[in-house]
Structure formats: C-alpha cells, structure tokens
Amino acid sequence: RGGWWPVRSARSEERWDFHWCDVGWLHEHFDHAYLDEHVRVCHFRNHYELTRKNYLVKNLKRFRKQLEREAGKLEATKCDFFPKTFEMPLEYHLFVEEFRKNPGTTWIMKPVGRSQGKGIFLFRKLKDIIEWRKVRTTLYFWGMSNWNLLFCCVWLLLQDGLRTDDQKDETQVEVYVAQRYIENPYLIGGRKFDLRVYVLVTSYIPLKAWLYRDGFARFSNTRFTLNSIDDHYVHLTNVAVQRTAPDYDPEKGCKWMIQRLRQYLTAKHGAEVVEVLFADMDNIFIKSLQSVQKVIISDKHCFELYGYDILIDQDLKPWLIEVNASPSLAASSQEDYELKCHLLKDTLHIVDMEGRLTGKEKRVGGFDLIWSDGPVSREGNLDTLSESFVANSHLGCYNDRKKQLKQLFRSLRA
C-alpha cells in the first residue's frame, strides 16, 4: 500500500501508526501503551463480549429481555435468531431440564474459546455429557453469585477426575456451550452449508457498521444425514475440517461466492422471498451489535472486522451460529484470494489512515454503511419513518468496487 512501510515490532520503541494485531498482543500490551491520537489497532479491548460463544448468547438474551420491557414482545421476537443455548457446566441443571422436555433432540457441544471446529461434538444422550464433563470441564469461579458458586462447588465434589483452572484470564478458560442443533438445514445438492459474512465496526458509541458485499458459502463434503452424528464431514462446514476429508478435491474446493448463492436462491424461490431472507440477516448483524453496544469499550483507536457465521434452515430462516474476531484471511482458491485482498484493502480505505474521506460516505469499495447511529437508507438520510425506506444493504449483489473507488477518490480530490 503506497506510503506504508513495516516497522520491526509493535513491542519495540520504534514509532508505529497501525497494527493488525492478534488478541494476545491486545490483552498484553494495549492498556500499558501510550497511543497517539491517530493510531489504530484492529480489535476492541473486550471484543470477546461478542465473539466468545457464551458471552454472545448471554448478551443476546439480556438484550432480548430489554427489548421486551421497552418495546414489547413483538420487537423482542426480532432477537429470535440464535438456537437455545446453555453454558456448561454453569447452566448444566437448566440444560438437563430443557433436554428432558424434548427427548431424542440433537444437541451440539462447542468450546467457547476455540475455532475451526476443534473440540466440537454432537450428542443425543445425557450419558455422553456425563462422560465429557468428567474429563473435559474447567470451571471459572470469579464473578459468580454465591448460589452459582455453591452449585458449582457441589457439582465439583460429585465428579471424578474433574480438574479446575485458576487462570484469571477468561479467554483461556475451557468452558463449553450446549446448543440445540438445527436439524433441518437448507441443503444444496444434499449438502449442508453456512455463510461467512463480513461486518466492519469502526465505532460503538455511536454505533457505525459496514456490511461487505462479498462473502461465501462453505459446504460440507458429505451429503447430510442425521443418522451419523459422529461424522464431522457431514455436520461441520469449516474449511479446516473439510479439507482433511479423504475425498476432498482442492481444485474443486467447498465454497460458493455469496453472489452465486443469492442467484441460486432467487431462481428457486423468487426475488421477494430472497429479499426477506437477506433483510433478516441484516437484522441479525444489527441486533447482535446492539446487544453489546453498552458493554464494549468503544475506544477511538480501535476498529473490528467481524466474520459472521450464518446458517439457513429449510424454512429460509437465518440463524446466527457465531461471530469471529479474527476471521481467517487464508485463501483456498484464486477467487477466495481476490475476495480477501479486496476486503482488506477496503477495510483500510474506511479506517482511513491517510485522512482522505469526509466521514459522510455511505459506500466505500465493497462496503456499504448499514448503520450510523440509526439505520441507513439506500436513498436519502436516516429517515426510518419514510414509507419508501430501503436499507442500504447489498449483500450478495454485484460488487463493482474498483469503479466505485475511482469515482469516490476522484470526487474527493476535486
């Protein structure tokens, strides 16, 4: 990138302006370093409020209750886009209660602090959880209420071989979530898939969020069935998992660009149905960000490029699976490489270290501004009362980013 050059290390005394850091560096150094006004780093300090699976669900549940109190039950139903979830082992007794209401239902167990499908398994019997918690559970005591602490202590005494962890850094604690498995995913060619969508947040107070036009669908390599819940190649769409399948073809890959998926769905179900589906996805992005708006430390030095994982079921309802703070930027094909290079370039255009933008732009490259302290319309201002209001969202639409950037910077120079 013209005018940029690397320094030896962000830990050194050498002056730097921009750091695409990992979360480890952030936790270790951010609070102990002086940062000039213009300096930017690529994570918010407590990013985990949205990107750790247990915190994400906790914040969404709290936000749903808040909406119900303040705006009524109908508005609160707009938060019904995540599967029923319990933090384990803290909410084990609540989970068992729910489990017994629906015997035979499939559940999925996920470690909250890991990625790429590591540590995930499906189950239908309580005995599978009993075996798991004897060897895999780690508890974190700080911040618990007295009753929760008492429950967990009793729970510990009843377990054989359970190990405790006195790490105070919650990002290192091995906690799991038990989540109701979506048993009716939308299938293409008999295969399950999920979507990876990119959302850039440059501020939480006020909330300012951008949605990238490109993304992709990640397909499983094996036809979907509920008869084999132990086969990760059937149920986990992570590329890191699928590329280890014996019949995986690296030339063919396991991804579709999101434009191709949108065209397929439009041809099969019609444009109006697909518009509703993608509007429901926009609702997921905004509501999830609003759920953490008051708890995220909105530092002017920070921005965040989130990778949202969305699953669509047979009724064309989108479900939020998780949000990633460090979405993979490794490429599995030339198309994937170009997508991620353009994504990074456009992210840096919006972060605007060079000071070229006015701050009033509604589109920069492949990014469309979808929220700026309120919903953003494709035409006009933030007038949500207008009957002609159409959200400024173009996910899966044609991305003429190069042409748009030329026009944008030409007009800014003028």
Side-chain angles (χ1 to χ4, degrees):
R1 191 175 180 89
W4 293 50
W5 65 92
V7 296
R8 286 188 296 273
S9 170
R11 290 185 173 88
S12 71
E13 296 301 316
E14 192 170 3
R15 189 168 175 266
W16 55 272
D17 306 291
F18 179 93
H19 187 21
W20 193 276
C21 64
D22 57 44
V23 294
W25 182 93
L26 190 82
H27 298 153
E28 187 177 348
H29 295 280
F30 189 90
D31 287 332
H32 310 292
Y34 170 76
L35 301 180
D36 289 332
E37 180 83 12
H38 68 284
V39 167
R40 295 291 183 269
V41 294
C42 68
H43 294 294
F44 289 94
R45 289 154 72 184
N46 57 338
H47 60 88
Y48 46 79
E49 292 287 350
L50 184 66
T51 58
R52 274 174 67 88
K53 301 174 186 70
N54 55 334
Y55 292 167
L56 169 63
V57 172
K58 176 196 72 174
N59 286 313
L60 283 171
K61 287 179 178 177
R62 176 185 47 74
F63 185 61
R64 191 190 189 287
K65 289 179 181 177
Q66 177 188 329
L67 282 179
E68 191 168 335
R69 284 194 311 270
E70 297 175 358
K73 290 186 177 180
L74 185 61
E75 186 67 22
T77 59
K78 293 181 180 179
C79 283
D80 293 342
F81 50 72
F82 58 98
K84 196 172 285 288
T85 306
F86 299 91
E87 183 178 331
M88 303 290 273
L90 184 61
E91 297 179 325
Y92 177 75
H93 58 304
L94 296 175
F95 162 72
V96 171
E97 201 174 299
E98 179 66 28
F99 182 90
R100 286 174 175 160
K101 289 179 186 176
N102 302 281
T105 300
T106 308
W107 292 78
I108 185 167
M109 201 77 153
K110 304 175 184 179
V112 299
R114 289 199 256 173
S115 58
Q116 299 184 328
K118 295 171 185 172
I120 294 178
F121 63 93
L122 278 66
F123 66 95
R124 291 196 186 112
K125 298 177 181 177
L126 272 180
K127 70 178 182 64
D128 296 329
I129 292 296
I130 293 170
E131 292 170 3
W132 165 83
R133 63 183 184 162
K134 283 182 179 179
V135 295
R136 298 300 300 273
T137 305
T138 305
L139 284 177
Y140 182 76
F141 295 113
W142 287 270
M144 291 184 182
S145 69
N146 291 337
W147 283 111
N148 281 336
L149 183 58
L150 177 62
F151 166 78
C152 288
C153 289
V154 172
W155 187 90
L156 269 174
L157 292 171
L158 294 175
Q159 307 311 309
D160 293 324
L162 186 67
R163 57 189 178 85
T164 61
D165 192 332
D166 59 359
Q167 294 279 351
K168 291 190 177 182
D169 183 358
E170 292 194 347
T171 61
Q172 298 178 11
V173 175
E174 187 78 338
V175 178
Y176 276 64
V177 291
Q179 197 169 69
R180 190 161 183 168
Y181 186 65
I182 297 170
E183 298 180 319
N184 64 330
Y186 191 97
L187 305 179
I188 296 180
R191 289 167 171 78
K192 178 182 172 181
F193 67 92
D194 70 357
L195 303 182
R196 167 57 58 84
V197 182
Y198 298 99
V199 176
L200 174 65
V201 176
T202 52
S203 168
Y204 270 99
I205 302 176
L207 181 60
K208 192 167 186 177
W210 302 74
L211 177 63
Y212 204 61
R213 295 188 174 199
D214 293 341
F216 49 84
R218 305 178 296 187
F219 284 82
S220 64
N221 206 49
T222 309
R223 294 178 71 86
F224 182 79
T225 175
L226 284 172
N227 296 330
S228 176
I229 63 172
D230 295 326
D231 190 342
H232 282 190
Y233 300 126
V234 172
H235 301 285
L236 303 185
T237 57
N238 309 69
V239 176
V241 173
Q242 294 299 326
R243 66 170 30 140
T244 64
D247 56 345
Y248 175 75
D249 183 356
E251 293 292 323
K252 188 177 176 184
C254 55
K255 290 181 180 178
W256 269 14
M257 292 291 287
I258 204 163
Q259 285 84 352
R260 184 179 177 188
L261 176 72
R262 185 162 186 158
Q263 289 169 359
Y264 174 90
L265 294 173
T266 301
K268 191 164 184 181
H269 302 284
E272 289 185 11
V273 172
V274 174
E275 281 288 343
V276 171
L277 167 63
F278 277 70
D280 289 343
M281 283 195 266
D282 292 344
N283 174 69
I284 290 177
F285 308 138
I286 298 303
K287 288 291 188 291
S288 60
L289 293 173
Q290 288 178 324
S291 74
V292 298
Q293 187 177 5
K294 293 182 179 178
V295 294
I296 292 282
I297 302 169
S298 185
D299 193 297
K300 63 187 176 184
H301 297 101
C302 304
F303 67 95
E304 193 101 37
L305 179 64
Y306 294 109
Y308 274 76
D309 291 346
I310 307 288
L311 181 72
I312 301 170
D313 69 16
Q314 288 176 356
D315 300 320
L316 292 181
K317 174 182 170 66
W319 296 88
L320 176 59
I321 303 304
E322 64 179 283
V323 185
N324 296 273
S326 299
S328 171
L329 296 173
S332 57
S333 67
Q334 182 61 29
E335 194 175 45
D336 198 24
Y337 175 83
E338 290 174 2
L339 184 160
K340 288 170 179 173
C341 282
H342 295 162
L343 171 71
L344 283 172
K345 287 179 182 178
D346 292 345
T347 298
L348 296 182
H349 286 319
I350 290 174
V351 174
D352 194 26
M353 297 298 295
E354 298 92 345
R356 294 182 293 179
L357 302 182
T358 66
K360 297 180 180 179
E361 291 78 11
K362 289 169 59 175
R363 183 184 174 193
V364 177
F367 277 107
D368 297 290
L369 183 64
I370 59 171
W371 195 271
S372 183
D373 204 21
V376 180
S377 172
R378 289 187 189 180
E379 304 296 334
N381 298 318
L382 311 181
D383 183 12
T384 57
L385 300 177
S386 170
E387 292 182 5
S388 61
F389 178 86
V390 180
N392 188 37
S393 172
H394 301 265
L395 179 62
C397 296
Y398 177 60
N399 187 3
D400 56 338
R401 56 175 296 279
K402 191 174 289 187
K403 177 182 176 182
Q404 195 274 339
L405 287 170
K406 283 184 180 179
Q407 292 174 343
L408 173 66
F409 288 120
R410 189 184 298 126
S411 66
L412 289 174
R413 281 196 297 273

